[in-house]
């Protein structure tokens, strides 16, 4: 079979790209070395009948009408607003740290005073990255910021990245800013939901076009004619010639309990205790009603290429420079290969961003229309 496009990787980036091209009559081969579709968003039922996200809990959120409307062609949704509590000084308080976290941890008059200073300086409803808060010219704000930094960010960041917050791009701590509000939702996006019958079922519908052939368990190595969209790791593509790009990996521990509900909210973070970072209760996220529930606990690990799964690119300037060397080499040596996705772009993407990347490339390269919805 002669294909118009070969798409390597059946995650959000590859599946959206492949679906768009197949929809305008292009013949597409979508392959993945894993035995399943969905990439890291893959979910399946465990032996207790609970739907689990195999590569860590995935909560869909987006401000993009285009991405939301596009994916809604392949799934109905269960509205879900994620909430996270962190164990700080023996108390479970809202994360991102907000005015209720402040009230839970400080004596009432002190909390009221800090709240009024924060409101005057930044305004109610604002979100301020911790590193910015620490640079405030106001002494009281700096003292408060140092407390939050020590109790919420420092231990968690060291566990997660094996680096201190200052050793990472400021974008990392800015992902979870201090919130000068009482909104305890983890995300504030317009659309927040979980595919009603799971991510894998949604992907199955995305790739159902007869113009699209699927080959699972297929390890793609080198181009052989047809243009390729490659969503695998850019350093692997070039045989790690400049050294591996640094990633953090994770080990997931799954535990099923004979109770209907175990945690007060979807995720509990442990910034300062244990060698794991967080525990998520799958049934809270998916809304599945069952007599048992499954918890997934995340243990950050070093990444060893070929042995562990590369989960998080480590955002630092030196790593970005190494990525740029790979990107330059790839564009010279593989003119027929387009690189995109979290591993090929060496960039943390949320699912909506990965999907948008696939949609946009399909419009630019394949002539598939940007979904007009
Ligand atoms: C623990 C964790 C939790 C997350 N939670 C959320 C969340 O709550 N919300 C959110 O929006 N995002 C979340 N994300 C991000 C989300 O997983 C990514 O946005 C998404 O997976 C990116 O899709 P992708 O297609 O770019 O990559 P992937 O999903 O990684 O897909 C790439 C695919 O390519 C395949 N592949 C690679 N190389 C080859 C090869 N040579 N041959 C064949 N196949 C190959 C891989 O097997 C893989 O299936 C989370 C990420 C992690 C790590």
């Amino acid at each position: 079979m002669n294909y118009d496009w070969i798409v390597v990787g059946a995650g959000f980036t590859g599946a959206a790209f492949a679906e768009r091209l197949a929809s305008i009559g292009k013949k597409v081969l979508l392959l993945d070395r894993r035995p399943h579709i969905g990439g890291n968003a893959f979910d399946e039922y465990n032996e207790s009948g609970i739907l689990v996200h195999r590569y860590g809990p995935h909560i869909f959120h987006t401000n993009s009408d285009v991405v939301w409307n596009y994916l809604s062609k392949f799934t109905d949704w269960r509205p879900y607003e994620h909430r996270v509590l962190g164990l700080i000084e023996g108390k479970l308080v809202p994360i991102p740290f907000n005015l209720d976290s402040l009230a839970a941890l400080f004596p009432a008059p002190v909390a009221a005073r800090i709240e009024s200073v924060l409101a005057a300086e930044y305004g109610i409803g604002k979100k301020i990255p911790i590193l910015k808060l620490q640079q405030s010219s106001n002494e009281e704000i700096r003292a408060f910021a140092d407390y939050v930094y020590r109790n919420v960010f420092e231990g968690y960041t060291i566990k997660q990245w094996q680096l201190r917050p200052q050793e990472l791009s400021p974008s990392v701590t800015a992902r979870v800013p201090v919130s000068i509000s009482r909104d305890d939702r983890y995300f504030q996006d317009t659309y927040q939901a979980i595919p009603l019958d799971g991510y894998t079922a949604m992907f199955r519908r995305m790739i159902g076009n007869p113009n699209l052939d699927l080959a699972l368990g297929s390890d793609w190595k080198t181009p052989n004619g047809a243009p390729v969209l490659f969503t695998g790791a850019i350093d692997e593509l070039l045989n790690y010639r400049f050294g591996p790009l640094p990633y953090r990996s994770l080990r997931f521990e799954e535990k099923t309990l004979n109770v209907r509900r175990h945690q007060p909210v979807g995720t509990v973070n442990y910034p300062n205790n244990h060698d794991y970072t967080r525990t998520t209760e799958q049934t809270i996220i998916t809304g599945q009603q069952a007599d048992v529930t499954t918890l997934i606990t995340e243990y950050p690990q070093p990444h060893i290429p070929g042995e562990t799964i590369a989960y998080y690119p480590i955002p630092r300037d030196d790593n970005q420079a190494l990525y740029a060397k790979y990107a330059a080499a790839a564009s010279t040596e593989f003119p027929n290969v387009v690189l995109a996705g979290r591993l090929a772009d060496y960039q943390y993407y949320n699912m909506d961003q990965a999907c948008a990347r696939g949609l946009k490339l399909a419009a630019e390269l394949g002539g598939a229309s940007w979904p007009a919805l």
Side-chain angles (χ1 to χ4, degrees):
M1 163 72 98
N2 280 333
Y3 290 103
D4 295 311
W5 276 90
I6 293 172
V7 178
V8 182
F12 266 98
T13 309
F17 182 86
E19 187 283 329
R20 283 291 77 203
L21 290 175
S23 77
I24 54 157
K26 304 277 184 201
K27 299 285 177 205
V28 180
L29 174 64
L30 174 64
L31 53 84
D32 203 299
R33 58 164 54 132
R34 290 173 174 170
H36 60 73
I37 53 174
N40 277 0
F42 170 69
D43 53 16
E44 64 178 349
Y45 287 89
N46 67 13
E47 65 233 19
S48 304
I50 300 299
L51 185 63
V52 293
H53 298 162
R54 269 290 158 239
Y55 301 92
H58 276 66
I59 295 118
F60 187 82
H61 56 101
T62 189
N63 287 317
S64 164
D65 292 336
V66 169
V67 169
W68 175 257
N69 291 336
Y70 171 71
L71 291 175
S72 298
K73 294 202 293 184
F74 308 104
T75 188
D76 292 328
W77 300 93
R78 168 184 185 255
Y80 172 72
E81 291 181 331
H82 194 48
R83 287 180 170 75
V84 176
L85 295 174
L87 184 63
I88 317 282
E89 297 189 319
K91 292 186 177 142
L92 286 175
V93 306
I95 301 289
F97 199 96
N98 68 13
L99 295 177
D100 284 332
S101 321
L102 173 68
L105 292 166
F106 287 81
V110 180
R113 166 85 200 142
I114 298 173
E115 176 174 337
S116 69
V117 175
L118 287 169
E121 183 82 12
Y122 303 104
I124 290 289
K126 289 286 174 341
K127 295 176 196 307
I128 317 293
I130 186 66
L131 299 180
K132 184 164 176 221
L133 219 49
Q134 283 185 303
Q135 286 156 13
S136 168
S137 55
N138 182 311
E139 200 178 317
E140 277 178 289
I141 292 180
R142 281 202 310 278
F144 163 70
D146 287 344
Y147 171 89
V148 176
Y149 175 85
R150 272 197 318 279
N151 286 283
V152 178
F153 286 91
E154 195 171 30
Y156 196 95
T157 308
I158 291 170
K159 256 194 279 188
Q160 176 80 355
W161 299 98
Q162 250 181 359
L163 292 169
R164 309 186 89 74
Q166 299 80 355
E167 295 173 295
L168 288 157
S169 153
S171 63
V172 176
T173 45
R175 277 180 207 157
V176 192
V178 173
S179 172
I180 305 173
S181 81
R182 295 198 153 72
D183 184 347
D184 65 345
R185 296 172 305 159
Y186 197 73
F187 306 111
Q188 271 75 38
D189 300 46
T190 312
Y191 305 105
Q192 305 187 40
I194 306 293
L196 193 60
D197 38 17
Y199 290 100
T200 306
M202 179 180 78
F203 275 92
R204 209 171 288 126
R205 290 181 211 112
M206 281 173 82
I207 61 166
N209 191 308
N211 291 324
L212 193 160
D213 289 340
L214 176 68
L216 294 176
S218 294
D219 215 334
W220 182 84
K221 294 268 187 262
T222 42
N224 61 352
V228 174
L229 178 80
F230 179 76
T231 72
I234 189 169
D235 51 352
E236 186 191 332
L237 179 68
L238 290 156
N239 294 318
Y240 304 104
R241 80 169 61 141
F242 306 122
L245 279 164
Y247 281 93
R248 283 295 275 169
S249 189
L250 290 169
R251 178 171 68 78
F252 300 107
E253 196 176 270
E254 183 179 319
K255 201 192 289 176
T256 296
L257 305 177
N258 283 321
V259 293
R260 293 182 72 82
R261 185 151 175 172
H262 179 69
Q263 294 194 157
V265 290
T267 296
V268 176
N269 281 5
Y270 298 92
N272 308 306
N273 317 70
H274 313 297
D275 52 349
Y276 47 88
T277 47
R278 58 183 185 176
T279 296
T280 300
E281 187 161 355
Q282 283 283 171
T283 53
I284 294 181
I285 293 177
T286 60
Q288 187 178 353
Q289 299 295 323
D291 291 332
V292 299
T293 190
T294 297
L295 304 169
I296 310 275
T297 298
E298 296 175 39
Y299 293 79
Q301 308 283 312
H303 171 57
I304 305 161
E307 284 183 33
T308 57
I309 298 179
Y311 280 112
Y312 296 110
I314 302 178
R316 283 168 51 94
D317 289 347
D318 47 353
N319 298 345
Q320 219 36 54
L322 182 57
Y323 161 74
K325 275 172 85 173
Y326 274 114
S331 69
T332 315
E333 286 169 46
F334 298 114
N336 235 11
V337 178
V338 177
L339 286 93
R342 61 175 200 99
L343 294 165
D345 291 336
Y346 190 63
Q347 195 168 326
Y348 183 84
Y349 288 137
N350 284 319
M351 291 180 278
D352 63 327
Q353 295 170 304
C355 180
R357 183 97 170 91
L359 295 179
K360 197 155 183 288
L361 277 174
E364 284 169 11
L365 301 170
S369 62
W370 181 250
L373 299 157

